[in-house]
Amino acid sequence: MAVKVVDRSPLNFWEKTYMPQVLGGLKITLDNMLRPKVTLQYPEERPTIPDNYRGVPTLVRDPNGREKCVSCQLCEFVCPPKAIRITPGEIEDGDEHEHVEKRPKDFEINMLRCIYCGMCQEVCPEEAIFLQDTYSVSGYSREELVYHKAKLYELGGTLPDQHYKWDRKKDAEEKAAAGGHH
Ligand code: SF4
Ligand code: SF4
């Protein structure tokens, strides 16, 4: 096997003092002291969250207050770490949303398992689950970090409905408006 001999030339006088390295290091320190600060005094100071930020997954309601989730369980199926657990529930007769058939009885997301991949949001046919701007998740026990339905709706809030798929009033209005043009 060929042996490669590495040439190690002896240090000169300046190199022996280590001063060039020490001064080089100090120059980097001084350069950084003069740059604008990028760190924040968290938690008093909070970062600006961009619109497309993917924080904690949340459930949302439509502008009429209806739960958009129809409990189809696609997100539960697709979630890579199996962080979602849904208990489907039927909507009772007489409820103003009985025509929607199902909504979740309970909806759990284990935030200790969630990897914030956004696949639940991608797959949801109802645009009911969104990764929004909540990024600070903490608790004293594992159980506290399994978020149930109420907490998920509290974090999600209301988002505009693009399709009015389940909105009978809007549907009737649109049909009447379309009829008016004939
Ligand atoms: S963001 Fe990904 S890991 Fe988290 S609940 Fe949705 S699908 Fe599961
Ligand atoms: S959040 Fe969307 S994908 Fe998940 S069960 Fe509800 S409707 Fe289905």
Side-chain angles (χ1 to χ4, degrees):
M1 199 174 81
V3 176
K4 189 170 188 306
V5 180
V6 179
D7 175 34
R8 292 187 192 275
S9 43
L11 300 180
N12 65 27
F13 173 76
W14 278 110
E15 284 166 340
K16 279 187 192 155
T17 65
Y18 292 108
M19 283 317 277
Q21 286 73 21
V22 172
L23 292 174
L26 278 175
K27 185 178 176 307
I28 292 173
T29 307
L30 283 170
D31 282 351
N32 279 303
M33 277 172 74
L34 300 174
R35 291 212 178 111
K37 286 192 190 106
V38 290
T39 46
L40 291 175
Q41 293 295 327
Y42 188 86
E44 287 81 15
E45 283 181 80
R46 299 281 173 144
T48 314
I49 305 294
D51 287 343
N52 56 358
Y53 186 80
R54 293 203 310 211
V56 165
T58 63
L59 290 175
V60 300
R61 293 178 186 275
D62 75 6
N64 296 328
R66 184 184 65 82
E67 293 180 36
K68 292 180 84 174
C69 175
V70 295
S71 204
C72 70
Q73 294 178 275
L74 269 176
C75 55
E76 183 177 21
F77 180 75
V78 83
C79 175
K82 300 282 170 232
I84 301 179
R85 183 165 299 164
I86 298 168
T87 313
E90 289 197 3
I91 301 180
E92 316 75 50
D93 292 344
D95 187 289
E96 66 169 314
H97 299 123
E98 64 177 331
H99 58 299
V100 185
E101 290 187 2
K102 281 204 296 178
R103 67 182 157 212
K105 206 160 158 194
D106 198 8
F107 197 117
E108 290 175 11
I109 304 183
N110 186 335
M111 297 302 172
L112 291 171
R113 282 184 166 232
C114 176
I115 53 171
Y116 304 97
C117 65
M119 285 182 78
C120 48
Q121 178 176 329
E122 286 287 318
V123 82
C124 179
E126 298 293 330
E127 298 182 352
I129 187 163
F130 283 89
L131 277 70
Q132 299 195 63
D133 55 2
T134 307
Y135 57 86
S136 166
V137 177
S138 57
Y140 291 103
S141 65
R142 288 177 174 272
E143 292 71 37
E144 263 180 78
L145 293 172
V146 177
Y147 286 6
H148 290 268
K149 192 171 129 167
K151 174 89 177 170
L152 293 169
Y153 276 116
E154 184 192 314
L155 291 173
T158 298
L159 285 185
D161 203 349
Q162 308 288 336
H163 308 299
Y164 307 109
K165 184 172 161 189
W166 303 107
D167 189 339
R168 283 185 159 159
K169 200 164 149 234
K170 190 86 187 172
D171 189 44
E173 275 170 21
E174 282 185 358
K175 281 203 180 112
H181 294 304
H182 286 292

